[in-house]
Amino acid sequence: MSNFEQSESDFYQSNYATDIQDQSYSDSGTHTIFYGSQKCQGQESPQPGAFVPLEMLSSSQSYIGQMLQPTYNPEFLSHSSYADSFDEEPPLLEELGINFDHIWQKTLTVLNPIKPADGSIMNETDLTGPMVFCLALGATLLLAGKVHFGYVYGISAVGCLGIHALLNLMSIAGVSYGCVASVLGYCLLPMVVLSSCAVFFSLQGILGTSLALIIIGWCSLSASKIFISALAMERQQLLVAYPCALLYGLFALLTVF
């Protein structure tokens, strides 16, 4: 029995508990250091999506700028400058060469043969008005029962070539084919009035012939006035008006007969 008590006392007096406590203490210290280092690392570099106080941000790095104010972005400024330059671009009609103010002034100049022509406006290759007037002449002839679209455009092209060559021989400065076509096309407007009259009554008579002669003189006088103003050909209006009268006489023949 004494041996059993002695062995039991030796068993309880062993350093087993001390070793376990030292090991647990060392393990707890290791875990404390490990988790403490992770905590420090988490404080230094916060994870995305985690809530970080403003004091920590201000202590870790300096904040540049102010709240609710955009920072400098050169890409955004380049896009805004591009938008401003796009707003300052001219309209599409002006880029295509269609100026309604000039068209209206040229039309008024043709309708009033006494009014002096502005050479700076008339010396332009504006074909918007001439195309419209040629189409209107063909449409009014069609209403009168005459399908002459091919004759209208064919005579216009050949007549512009002839008068272009004649004006280049007579003037020193010279003139372009587009300018000649523009002037002759605008001066075709009185002929549209004559073809409109042919829709309502016949022009094959004294009244129709007299009206056709007046319209021919009107067109040729307007065209010659514009040509001498644009090309500085003073005292040569009658020489320019004669070939123009021949050209518009062909259109009058199409209208009357």
Side-chain angles (χ1 to χ4, degrees), residues 69-140:
Q69 289 187 2
T71 57
Y72 175 77
N73 191 355
E75 184 178 358
F76 176 75
L77 292 178
S78 63
H79 284 297
S80 62
S81 61
Y82 175 75
D84 294 339
S85 62
F86 182 75
D87 293 335
E88 294 176 358
E89 288 185 357
L92 179 60
L93 293 178
E94 186 175 349
E95 291 184 355
L96 294 176
I98 301 174
N99 193 339
F100 290 104
D101 188 18
H102 289 184
I103 293 173
W104 178 247
Q105 291 182 9
K106 291 178 182 180
T107 305
L108 292 179
T109 304
V110 172
L111 293 177
N112 188 6
I114 304 175
K115 179 183 178 181
D118 189 0
S120 60
I121 297 177
M122 296 302 170
N123 195 9
E124 294 179 353
T125 59
D126 177 24
L127 298 178
T128 305
M131 293 297 293
V132 172
F133 294 154
C134 288
L135 184 60
L137 179 60
T140 51

Side-chain angles (χ1 to χ4, degrees), residues 36-70:
S37 61
Q38 284 187 346
K39 184 177 180 182
C40 294
Q41 290 178 1
Q43 290 178 359
E44 291 178 359
S45 60
Q47 296 180 359
F51 177 77
V52 181
L54 184 62
E55 292 79 3
M56 186 179 295
L57 287 176
S58 61
S59 61
S60 61
Q61 57 182 359
S62 60
Y63 178 73
I64 300 174
Q66 297 180 1
M67 296 294 292
L68 302 178
Q69 289 187 2

